[in-house]
Amino acid sequence: MPFAHYGVLSGTLYRHYRDQPDDQGRWFHVNLEVDAPAGRYHCAIDVDSHKSTVGVRWKSFVLDPADLGPSAALAPGYHELAPRADSGALDYLRHPALVDRSGVLFQRRPPSWLEELLALFGARPWHAGSNVDAAAALEPILVVGRRILVFGEPFTDDPEGDLGMHNVHQNQGDPAGSQWWQENGVWQDGATLTQRPDGRYDVFLNMFSSQSSRTDADGHPVA
């Protein structure tokens, strides 16, 4: 079933760091610490998968606050969002400001001149690469002291009661038979946004390569 709780954390970025590599040298998250009225939140951003055959794709671009919708005006703190287009929730495949209108997937980052040309046509291309590539695309927007919006699922079962956000990635399109099939849903996607000095938002979206870019009304993949 879709998430019982989904929302956005609005706060101030305190710092970020990468996971420590495991005994195979792998690491899976860029971790954020975000200050908000309830305390300091830990947010885990996926830049790889525990399954070696499943990689991560990402895209980054800039949005005006008006394009983001109600979430841009929220006060600091965690806010529950209903899975609807008018609540401030995000959906990679349905939100007009997030949809990829190019239909293009680059295996590596395109040259800057091509990115600028694609932007003129409203393109939102996905990129593919290693966890290092994905982290390198995310980390430039993680400026200490910036206002940050982290969309995803709040920690609700931490025995120590720690504050945090996870599932900060696409949360639909997982294939039938996968352990995440039951969590598919629309208007519950995760994302990381930080606000520039000019008021606009740097946006980082991420999804697993096993997830479909076409889904039905329940968030399940369609051919």
Side-chain angles (χ1 to χ4, degrees):
M1 61 182 296
F3 296 148
H5 297 282
Y6 165 78
V8 59
L9 170 65
S10 171
T12 302
L13 181 62
Y14 174 73
R15 69 165 182 149
H16 75 273
Y17 58 94
R18 298 179 179 183
D19 281 347
Q20 291 295 315
D22 64 14
D23 54 6
Q24 277 82 47
R26 300 171 301 182
W27 50 275
F28 308 104
H29 303 98
V30 172
N31 300 278
L32 316 181
E33 292 184 7
V34 176
D35 287 334
R40 183 162 292 161
Y41 286 72
H42 168 228
C43 307
I45 316 301
D46 294 87
V47 292
D48 205 349
S49 168
H50 287 268
K51 292 187 175 182
S52 60
T53 57
V54 177
V56 171
R57 298 173 181 171
W58 67 90
K59 65 170 79 173
S60 54
F61 49 91
V62 179
L63 282 182
D64 290 329
D67 295 328
L68 183 59
S71 296
L74 292 173
Y78 172 75
H79 303 268
E80 284 276 310
L81 299 175
R84 303 192 312 266
D86 61 353
S87 71
L90 298 186
D91 188 306
Y92 291 7
L93 311 181
R94 294 166 179 83
H95 194 296
L98 306 186
V99 172
D100 177 9
R101 294 184 283 276
S102 70
V104 177
L105 168 66
F106 291 97
Q107 293 304 313
R108 288 292 185 268
R109 189 182 185 95
S112 59
W113 65 266
L114 181 54
E115 285 194 320
E116 292 173 1
L117 181 61
L118 288 168
L120 290 175
F121 292 95
R124 297 283 186 257
W126 288 101
H127 307 287
S130 69
N131 59 332
V132 176
D133 295 328
L138 168 62
E139 289 172 333
I141 77 170
L142 301 179
V143 179
V144 171
R146 273 191 179 186
R147 184 186 185 214
I148 186 168
L149 299 175
V150 182
F151 292 80
E153 184 182 23
F155 293 147
T156 57
D157 56 0
D158 191 310
E160 298 182 3
D162 289 342
L163 300 169
M165 300 285 287
H166 65 141
N167 283 326
V168 186
H169 51 70
Q170 179 172 303
N171 292 306
Q172 60 182 309
D174 281 296
S178 78
Q179 68 185 88
W180 299 284
W181 165 268
Q182 296 296 329
E183 293 185 346
N184 281 335
V186 299
W187 295 102
Q188 60 167 24
D189 287 334
T192 308
L193 296 81
T194 64
Q195 192 168 29
R196 295 179 165 202
D198 65 6
R200 296 183 299 165
Y201 283 89
D202 285 313
V203 181
F204 182 84
L205 309 184
N206 45 313
M207 65 179 291
F208 296 106
S209 60
S210 57
Q211 293 175 316
S212 175
S213 58
R214 295 185 62 203
T215 63
D216 62 20
D218 295 318
H220 295 314
V222 296

